[in-house]
Amino acid sequence: QQQVKQSPQSLIVQKGGISIINCAYENTAFDYFPWYQQFPGKGPALLIAIRPDVSEKKEGRFTISFNKSAKQFSLHIMDSQPGDSATYFCAAKGNDYKLSFGAGTTVTVRA
Amino acid sequence: DTAVSQTPKYLVTQMGNDKSIKCEQNLGHDTMYWYKQDSKKFLKIMFSYNNKELIINETVPNRFSPKSPDKAHLNLHINSLELGDSAVYFCASSPLDRGGYTFGSGTRLTVV
């Protein structure tokens, strides 16, 4: 049973455009929500993370928006670049130390 | 210096064989994990150790046995390999109850 639902499965965006990936969860015990970026042949790398006491966090071109009441969070990639082409995973962690991942979104940025 | 390193990177073996994957982290983290990534890229936790103690043991066939000789090392031994075991196995580490995971670069296991 997947604890974090992620959409879309894939998306294509033009260079300079905005990529938006959405995630939803049910477990209200989750208190840490990271996003990971994975390139082919590499392990997932932590991109940005948020805790539920804030509604938004921005790091460079990457922004997490968090809606606690709706139990949803999203990743926005502004000014998307070809180097951003990768698979992105949302995740959530509660007090059981276990990080549960979404199914992943493959982002392709066209030059 | 690589923070989380796993060996080997590629492993091709025949059904029925026994194989091991090794993992080491130099981040000083308390907790280490094994994740399996299937062909659809879904990441699923298998095991977690905190200071050599098993704290997470998901529903995994008992052919899979993790071993942690110290808090910087976590190995995965797989007995009687099956075709369905083919996947990429990732080791990761984290501070116990805060922060994100740091992943290794993965071991691609192919069972033929």
Side-chain angles (χ1 to χ4, degrees):
Chain A
Q1 180 184 354
Q2 206 167 322
Q3 296 204 55
V4 182
K5 290 185 170 26
Q6 182 172 347
S7 63
Q9 188 175 354
S10 63
L11 68 90
I12 299 173
V13 63
Q14 291 296 119
K15 180 181 174 184
I18 301 173
S19 303
I20 302 174
I21 306 170
N22 300 300
C23 286
Y25 65 97
E26 287 299 324
N27 188 345
T28 55
F30 287 151
D31 62 2
Y32 177 72
F33 301 87
W35 285 88
Y36 283 81
Q37 180 188 55
Q38 185 180 26
F39 293 105
K42 303 291 185 185
L46 180 64
L47 190 61
I48 186 172
I50 198 168
R51 294 202 182 266
D53 52 347
V54 298
S55 60
E56 186 174 282
K57 183 173 181 180
K58 184 176 179 179
E59 288 184 4
R61 296 183 293 106
F62 300 90
T63 300
I64 300 178
S65 297
F66 188 85
N67 186 330
K68 187 174 180 178
S69 60
K71 291 185 282 188
Q72 295 175 347
F73 58 111
S74 60
L75 177 70
H76 295 228
I77 307 174
M78 314 299 286
D79 187 25
S80 297
Q81 300 296 312
D84 297 333
S85 296
T87 300
Y88 292 82
F89 295 93
C90 62
K93 184 166 137 181
N95 56 9
D96 62 353
Y97 315 123
K98 186 167 57 177
L99 198 59
S100 297
F101 284 87
T105 298
T106 300
V107 173
T108 303
V109 182
R110 293 259 163 88
Chain B
D1 284 344
T2 304
V4 179
S5 59
Q6 355 177 171
T7 55
K9 188 167 177 63
Y10 300 97
L11 189 50
V12 181
T13 187
Q14 291 189 325
M15 274 195 305
N17 283 350
D18 302 340
K19 290 293 178 187
S20 292
I21 306 172
K22 295 186 175 183
C23 179
E24 175 182 4
Q25 57 99 1
N26 62 7
L27 297 167
H29 287 164
D30 302 307
T31 312
M32 296 184 73
Y33 311 82
W34 279 111
Y35 273 78
K36 179 180 180 180
Q37 187 169 48
D38 62 23
S39 58
K40 295 184 178 177
K41 297 186 181 176
F42 186 66
L43 283 156
K44 187 167 178 5
I45 191 166
M46 301 173 69
F47 302 103
S48 174
Y49 270 77
N50 178 55
N51 277 328
K52 302 191 296 178
E53 181 184 347
L54 183 66
I55 58 172
I56 295 174
N57 185 354
E58 291 293 283
T59 307
V60 176
N62 57 16
R63 298 181 295 104
F64 290 79
S65 54
K67 293 243 178 348
S68 181
D70 56 61
K71 80 171 194 176
H73 295 84
L74 179 62
N75 303 323
L76 182 65
H77 188 76
I78 315 170
N79 289 327
S80 304
L81 278 154
E82 300 178 357
L83 292 176
D85 297 332
S86 295
V88 181
Y89 293 84
F90 285 102
C91 176
S93 71
S94 76
L96 176 58
D97 57 356
R98 55 187 167 80
Y101 294 7
T102 301
F103 282 83
S105 57
T107 296
R108 181 173 292 277
L109 171 66
T110 304
V111 183
V112 297

